[in-house]
Structures are given as C-alpha cells and as structure tokens.
C-alpha cells in the first residue's frame, strides 16, 4: 500500500508573511487526514517562516528547486545543506524550471543524487509537451526523462523518491489530462520503466503523483485511478479550502 501524497507547489506566490499566515491556517483543517502525506512547497524566502509555523505538525515542507553543488559561485542558487533541517522534500525537474532555467536531465539526475545523499527526498517531475503528445512521443519522452533521472540511483533509495507526472499542456491551463489517460501514461511511461530498471516489485512501491490543473472538482477521479498516488498541485494549493478539499478527497479515494 503506497501512502498517498498531496503536495502544493506554490510557485512564485506568497510573501513570507502571507506564507506563514497560510501555513497557520491549514494546520487545523489538514490535521484529520492522517492517511495522506501533506506537503507545501513555498518560495525559498518563505521556507523558514513556513517551517517554523509547521514544526511539530504532521504537515511537511518542500522546496521548489535546488542546486546540485553544495556551495560555490552560483549566484541566485540554494543548495542541499542550506535546505537541510528546513524541508523534507524538494521538487526537481519541473517543466517550468526545465523550460525557463535550462534545467537538463543530467542536472536533474545530479540534483536527485545530491538530495538523497543529503537525506532529502526528491519529487521528480516529468511530462511531455503538446507537440510531443500529438506526435505520439509521450511514452518515449517521459520514459526517457525517468531513465535519465534515475541513472545511478540505487534501489534502496526508491523509498525516498516521489515522481510527479505533469503533462506540460495541462499545467495552469485548465486543460487537464483525463484520469484514464494520466493513469495509462503513468503506467507505461513511469511505472513500467521503473520495473525495467529495478524490477516489478520495487516499481510497485514508488509513489507517482499526477499534476496539471488538479482541483477539488476533478481530484476524486484522479485519486480513483490505481496508478495515481497523489497530486502535485499549483493553483488550487494556494487556497486553504481548496487544498483541504484535495487532501480530504485523496483520503476518501484511497480509503486510508
Ligand atoms: P496547476 O495545478 O496550477 O495546473 O500547476 C500544476 C503544477 O505545475 C504543479 O507543479
């Protein structure tokens, strides 16, 4: 049984003060849903305030990116040692970072290794563009991203890795992949590839989220799919009521 995980990716929203206020506000509503791992990923500068607000609660904190080197002349970057003690999870491979910051598969692999070595857990995002989908390249492309991200990652690390399948054309567009379609792609492009790399039994243990225009109205349908173990949520994670509803629906669907 894979513990469902719902993570809010706040992207470039909320000042430190707004983030701390939001963190305080979600504690009580999210407390009952113990069958779901609950994570919020604020912007870097808001992480200390959110981590302080959530310390001692079951709600976990994540970062939205990290540099693969521990220190150095990398202006504007944040490293694993800087995040240790503040976050448990770190999103890497998000399509917005791949697209706007030139993050490559090799960098994502290096970041995954650095995180795991530092005791932090990567949420590795993968997904195809609309053009790739229309050309029938979805499984090849996403499968390739998975292979590249896991290059050299030993099987004993799988328990500390989450994968988020986020079709790029479904992010922030309101145009979501159908639950059946997302389930199928996750199976063929992610879980089957993990099975090739690590064996079927190990692949069954890895948690895989769907992301892309997830909202309370469609959450139950996604969470009812056997291959989908949670959601990585942008827009709908920014409101207390919506984020609470997503977590509640994950718990309802997975019967945890
Ligand atoms: P939306 O939920 O706003 O579509 O964003 C999805 C996403 O990119 C989460 O990482």
């Amino acid at each position: 049984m894979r513990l469902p995980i719902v993570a809010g990716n706040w992207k470039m929203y909320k000042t430190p003060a707004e983030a701390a206020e939001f963190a305080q506000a979600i504690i009580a509503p999210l407390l009952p849903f113990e069958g779901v791992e609950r994570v919020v990923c604020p912007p870097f500068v808001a992480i200390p305030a959110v981590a302080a607000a959530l310390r001692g609660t079951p709600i976990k904190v994540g970062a939205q990116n990290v540099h693969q080197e521990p220190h150095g002349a990398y202006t504007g970057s944040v490293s694993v040692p800087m995040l240790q003690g503040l976050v448990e999870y770190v999103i890497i491979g998000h399509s917005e970072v791949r697209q706007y910051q030139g993050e490559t598969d090799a960098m994502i692999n290096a970041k995954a290794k650095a995180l795991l070595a530092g005791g932090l857990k990567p949420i590795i995002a993968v997904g195809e563009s609309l053009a790739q989908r229309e050309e029938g390249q979805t499984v090849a492309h996403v499968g390739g991203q998975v292979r590249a991200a896991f290059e050299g990652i030993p099987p004993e690390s799988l328990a500390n890795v989450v994968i988020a399948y986020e079709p790029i054309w479904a992010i922030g567009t309101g145009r979501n992949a159908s639950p059946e379609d997302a389930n199928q792609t996750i199976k063929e492009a992610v879980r089957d590839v993990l099975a090739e790399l690590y064996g079927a039994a190990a692949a069954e243990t890895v948690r895989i989220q769907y992301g892309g225009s997830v909202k309370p109205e469609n959450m139950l349908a996604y969470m009812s799919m056997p291959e989908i173990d949670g959601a990585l949520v942008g827009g709908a994670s920014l409101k207390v009521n919506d984020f609470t509803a997503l977590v509640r629906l994950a718990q309802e669907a997975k019967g945890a």
Side-chain angles (χ1 to χ4, degrees):
M1 181 64 194
R2 301 183 291 262
L3 181 68
I5 174 166
V6 176
N9 173 10
W10 294 359
K11 306 193 180 181
M12 200 169 72
Y13 292 97
K14 298 191 192 294
T15 64
E18 290 165 350
E21 189 186 332
F22 185 92
Q24 286 290 353
I26 54 172
I27 297 171
L30 292 186
L31 225 40
F33 306 111
E34 290 171 0
V36 178
E37 198 167 4
R38 295 142 282 181
V39 185
V40 292
C41 304
F44 282 128
V45 290
I47 286 175
V50 171
L54 296 178
R55 197 155 288 133
T57 79
I59 302 156
K60 296 173 174 172
V61 185
Q64 298 175 18
N65 195 1
V66 72
H67 197 280
Q68 59 272 28
E69 297 298 335
H71 43 72
Y74 300 105
T75 302
S77 299
V78 171
S79 71
V80 171
M82 297 171 189
L83 292 172
Q84 281 167 334
L86 288 171
V87 308
E88 180 168 334
Y89 286 95
V90 178
I91 301 167
I92 55 175
H94 194 284
S95 58
E96 288 153 14
V97 181
R98 292 181 193 252
Q99 184 180 349
Y100 305 132
Q101 298 182 32
E103 191 190 39
T104 63
D105 278 335
M107 286 160 69
I108 293 158
N109 177 245
K111 291 178 183 191
K113 288 175 176 158
L115 287 168
L116 291 164
L120 301 181
K121 300 173 179 171
I123 298 177
I124 303 173
V126 295
E128 81 287 2
S129 67
L130 188 57
Q132 287 162 335
R133 167 155 290 244
E134 286 172 347
E135 286 158 17
Q137 293 299 313
T138 297
V139 172
H141 180 73
V142 175
Q145 289 180 322
V146 172
R147 278 176 216 283
F150 281 86
E151 181 82 44
I153 304 257
E156 56 272 20
S157 292
L158 287 185
N160 295 320
V161 178
V162 174
I163 300 175
Y165 168 60
E166 301 202 306
I168 297 170
W169 47 273
I171 294 176
T173 57
R175 183 182 164 185
N176 47 318
S178 78
E180 293 74 16
D181 194 328
N183 189 71
Q184 179 80 6
T185 306
I186 285 173
K187 169 88 176 72
E188 291 177 15
V190 185
R191 207 173 301 281
D192 287 355
V193 171
L194 290 174
E196 253 178 66
L197 299 174
Y198 297 99
E204 281 302 310
T205 66
V206 179
R207 293 181 297 169
I208 308 173
Q209 301 170 307
Y210 171 74
S213 300
V214 173
K215 3 180 211 289
E217 303 84 70
N218 57 28
M219 182 70 170
L220 198 56
Y222 287 113
M223 292 306 109
S224 305
M225 292 290 136
E227 299 292 346
I228 302 181
D229 305 312
L232 182 58
V233 187
S237 75
L238 298 169
K239 298 204 181 97
V240 173
N241 288 348
D242 283 352
F243 193 57
T244 304
L246 296 173
V247 171
R248 174 174 54 76
L249 291 162
Q251 173 136 332
E252 270 176 35
K254 296 295 176 191

